[in-house]
Amino acid sequence: MFTIENLARFQFAMTTIFHFFFVPLSVGTVFMTALMETIYVKTGDEKWKKRTKFFGSIMLLSFAVGVVTGIIQEFQFGMNWSEYSRYVGDIFGAPLAVEALLAFFMESTFLGVWMFGWDKLGKKLHNATLWIVFVGTFLSSLWILAANSWMQNPVGYAVRGGRATLISFSALLTNPQTILEFAHVTTGFLLTGGFITAGIACFQILKNREVDMFKPVLRLGLLVALIASVGNFVAGDQQMIEVKNSQPMKFAAAEGVMTTTENPAEWAMVGFYNQADKEEIFGIHVPYMLSILTYHSPSSKNPPIQGVQELNKKLAEKYPEAAKELHGNFVPPINALFWTFRIMAGISMLMILLSALGLFWTRKKKPWLYENRPWLHIYGWFLYAPFIAITSGWLVTELGRYPWTVYGLFTIRDSVSPNVSVGSLIFSNSVYFLLFCFLGSVMIYFTVQRMRKGTEGAETAYVELDPFNKESFSVHDTQDEEETSKENEDKEANK
């Protein structure tokens, strides 16, 4: 259990998942805050300015914690995956360098301008700075997902001197996996922003804090959540079709297909599997459904869907060297993939349903939801659902690539650092875990504090943040006055 490979994988999973909590949170809240400020600029309604500042303060918190967790993630790459870094450095370096020099620079610069630019810039210009931040976050996501997509479906490369070398930058960006993964992930960011906004508004209404201020926010959050949820569902469907073609083993494990299907194929709604024998222990199946989900048609002319057993034999024949290293086992953790995929898909459909119902229940003619406390609680706590869905989706993506770090090219065993020890990994895992607990607690504590203070508290927070505000110099002014007074007193005494 405590092997270098397992501990390095655990650390990668822990750092990536925790960092990935803050990516959709940051991008989603940037979008919602920019949207609210746009409404303020268009309508001139000061209430929307207060709402913008309230959610903007939560956005800034998520950015701060997200940057720290991102740095920790890079540390673990350098420590535990040196062989992987050596092998893919030429390819990974390009998109990550662009991400850091262009996208992250754009985000951080204009975020500072927005944060300190209240009442110093014109309304439209100030609002534009936040939209630039939003564009920067999307560009940042594009470059990181391009790097990850290359690991899933390597294109535009050549192996020279035992290292992968990039020969086509355009192939990296036009990789089908990049396009579909980007669409799926970024719509996930937007729906997270929608449900976070709606959930916080529900808690504020439940606590009877500025109820009229947060009712329109709840409706706006649900509207964004509905549009983004539908887009996310469509993008996810297309991405899974691509996975079936480029990574059939991941697809077969996620759908619980142990042996090649007949046509039309039945879908395993519930299933438990024997990993060693690659067999189903128990399952509940729905006729025709897997063909409909995969090909959008129950036709018997569809190609059969290959099962885990057959695919494992094919991979062993295709990659004989890796087969020796892995003892012929190319099968990812089937039960984990099967259930995380269903959790993601199930929550995805639930998000569409709840956002649509929420909009209907908050319509002007009969705004029933605002007075219904049980359902307000459900919508409030549902703000955590996008994080569960996104984490499940990320586990499907990463676990399903087993045994490869770069699909078909480089295995996990070949990727770990040769000079790390079990003891050092246990120590760094423990430190990271405690640090993540602390950072998560800080984020929750300050968010709850911000909610308690409401929109008026957020207004004060920006005054405190502004380094150019007169009050920021008041301490120094007072000190100067005290020093001048003391000098005068000394002069009088000397006389």
Side-chain angles (χ1 to χ4, degrees):
M1 179 179 177
F2 292 112
T3 64
I4 291 173
E5 184 182 327
N6 287 343
L7 288 168
R9 292 183 73 192
F10 177 78
Q11 190 169 113
F12 174 80
M14 179 172 59
T15 54
T16 303
I17 287 171
F18 192 78
H19 174 61
F20 209 55
F21 285 158
F22 293 95
V23 177
L25 176 60
S26 302
V27 181
T29 50
V30 167
F31 178 76
M32 294 305 301
T33 308
L35 200 58
M36 289 180 205
E37 189 175 3
T38 303
I39 297 172
Y40 160 62
V41 172
K42 290 286 184 186
T43 63
D45 186 347
E46 289 291 323
K47 287 183 178 177
W48 280 108
K49 183 179 180 182
K50 290 184 177 181
R51 292 167 183 135
T52 302
K53 288 192 172 185
F54 175 81
F55 283 98
S57 62
I58 295 172
M59 171 196 76
L60 293 172
L61 278 172
S62 67
F63 252 98
V65 180
V67 169
V68 175
T69 56
I71 293 170
I72 295 171
Q73 191 185 11
E74 290 188 8
F75 270 130
Q76 66 89 30
F77 259 118
M79 288 191 298
N80 302 338
W81 303 99
S82 63
E83 286 300 308
Y84 166 80
S85 301
R86 181 193 61 77
Y87 186 78
V88 305
D90 181 71
I91 293 175
F92 249 53
L96 295 186
V98 176
E99 189 271 335
L101 294 174
L102 176 65
F104 185 70
F105 182 77
M106 184 192 296
E107 289 172 47
S108 52
T109 302
F110 283 93
L111 191 64
V113 174
W114 181 84
M115 188 166 61
F116 298 123
W118 283 105
D119 304 322
K120 295 180 178 61
L121 301 175
K123 289 181 182 177
K124 291 182 180 178
L125 182 59
H126 187 263
N127 186 211
T129 59
L130 195 54
W131 281 115
I132 293 172
V133 174
F134 174 69
V135 172
T137 59
F138 257 48
L139 288 175
S140 182
S141 305
L142 174 65
W143 294 112
I144 291 170
L145 291 174
N148 182 269
S149 297
W150 186 83
M151 294 163 66
Q152 309 289 339
N153 183 36
V155 293
Y157 73 95
V159 178
R160 294 168 181 160
R163 297 173 63 241
T165 305
L166 186 65
I167 59 174
S168 173
F169 194 74
S170 60
L172 194 70
L173 289 177
T174 56
N175 186 346
Q177 183 69 24
T178 301
I179 297 167
L180 293 170
E181 195 170 318
F182 179 72
H184 192 198
V185 171
T186 51
T187 49
F189 293 165
L190 300 184
L191 71 86
T192 302
F195 277 109
I196 285 284
T197 307
I200 289 175
C202 284
F203 283 126
Q204 296 298 85
I205 293 170
L206 281 166
K207 293 289 183 181
N208 204 26
R209 299 179 186 134
E210 303 173 289
V211 173
D212 290 337
M213 183 70 82
F214 284 97
K215 281 181 178 178
V217 174
L218 171 56
R219 194 165 168 77
L220 179 67
L222 290 172
L223 178 63
V224 171
L226 176 61
I227 296 169
S229 298
V230 173
N232 182 259
F233 188 83
V234 173
D237 175 67
Q238 294 301 306
Q239 188 182 1
M240 209 56 191
I241 292 172
E242 169 61 25
V243 167
K244 187 187 76 65
N245 299 325
S246 59
Q247 297 181 9
M249 178 62 87
K250 179 192 288 186
F251 182 86
E255 292 293 4
V257 180
M258 296 299 105
T259 56
T260 301
T261 65
E262 297 178 352
N263 271 325
E266 58 184 18
W267 176 64
M269 185 172 67
V270 175
F272 296 96
Y273 302 90
N274 182 320
Q275 178 77 27
D277 296 333
K278 308 173 191 61
E279 291 179 348
E280 182 181 287
I281 301 170
F282 172 77
I284 299 175
H285 299 263
V286 180
Y288 301 101
M289 187 55 74
L290 185 56
S291 290
I292 294 172
L293 292 173
T294 307
Y295 300 110
H296 302 157
S297 163
S299 172
S300 58
K301 296 179 181 178
N302 293 326
I305 296 169
Q306 294 180 301
V308 167
Q309 295 176 7
E310 289 78 8
L311 287 168
N312 192 55
K313 291 177 184 175
K314 288 184 177 180
L315 288 169
E317 292 171 2
K318 187 175 181 180
Y319 304 106
E321 292 299 320
K324 289 179 186 175
E325 180 185 316
L326 301 163
H327 307 292
N329 179 29
F330 290 83
V331 182
I334 303 170
N335 286 299
L337 278 178
F338 182 87
W339 284 107
T340 50
F341 182 56
R342 271 146 189 77
I343 290 170
M344 176 192 67
I347 292 177
S348 177
M349 288 187 283
L350 197 57
M351 286 191 287
I352 296 173
L353 177 65
L354 280 181
S355 53
L357 285 174
L359 280 173
F360 182 71
W361 290 337
T362 54
R363 66 193 188 281
K364 283 186 179 178
K365 288 184 179 178
K366 195 175 181 182
W368 167 81
L369 181 60
Y370 300 133
E371 308 300 328
N372 191 295
R373 294 186 66 82
W375 275 101
L376 279 175
H377 274 288
I378 290 172
Y379 277 96
W381 289 108
F382 200 74
L383 66 83
Y384 294 102
F387 296 103
I388 299 171
I390 287 173
T391 302
S392 300
W394 196 248
L395 287 172
V396 171
T397 302
E398 299 301 287
L399 287 175
R401 198 174 52 215
Y402 178 89
W404 311 102
T405 47
V406 182
Y407 194 83
L409 287 179
F410 211 57
T411 64
I412 295 169
R413 289 188 179 185
D414 292 334
S415 302
V416 294
S417 299
N419 55 345
V420 293
S421 64
V422 170
S424 65
L425 280 167
I426 291 174
F427 176 76
S428 57
N429 270 312
S430 304
V431 171
Y432 286 163
F433 178 77
L434 293 173
L435 188 58
F436 289 151
C437 290
F438 171 74
L439 289 171
S441 301
V442 167
M443 180 69 206
I444 293 170
Y445 173 78
F446 281 110
T447 302
V448 171
Q449 290 298 312
R450 180 63 59 224
M451 289 172 66
R452 284 177 178 167
K453 291 179 179 177
T455 57
E456 296 300 327
E459 185 82 27
T460 311
Y462 283 88
V463 174
E464 293 169 351
L465 279 170
D466 189 348
F468 304 110
N469 189 50
K470 290 181 180 178
E471 294 174 11
S472 301
F473 299 96
S474 60
V475 175
H476 306 294
D477 293 342
T478 306
Q479 287 176 345
D480 293 341
E481 288 173 5
E482 288 176 353
E483 288 173 3
T484 306
S485 176
K486 192 177 179 182
E487 287 175 4
N488 292 335
E489 287 176 3
D490 291 342
K491 287 178 182 176
E492 289 295 328
N494 291 333
K495 288 178 181 178

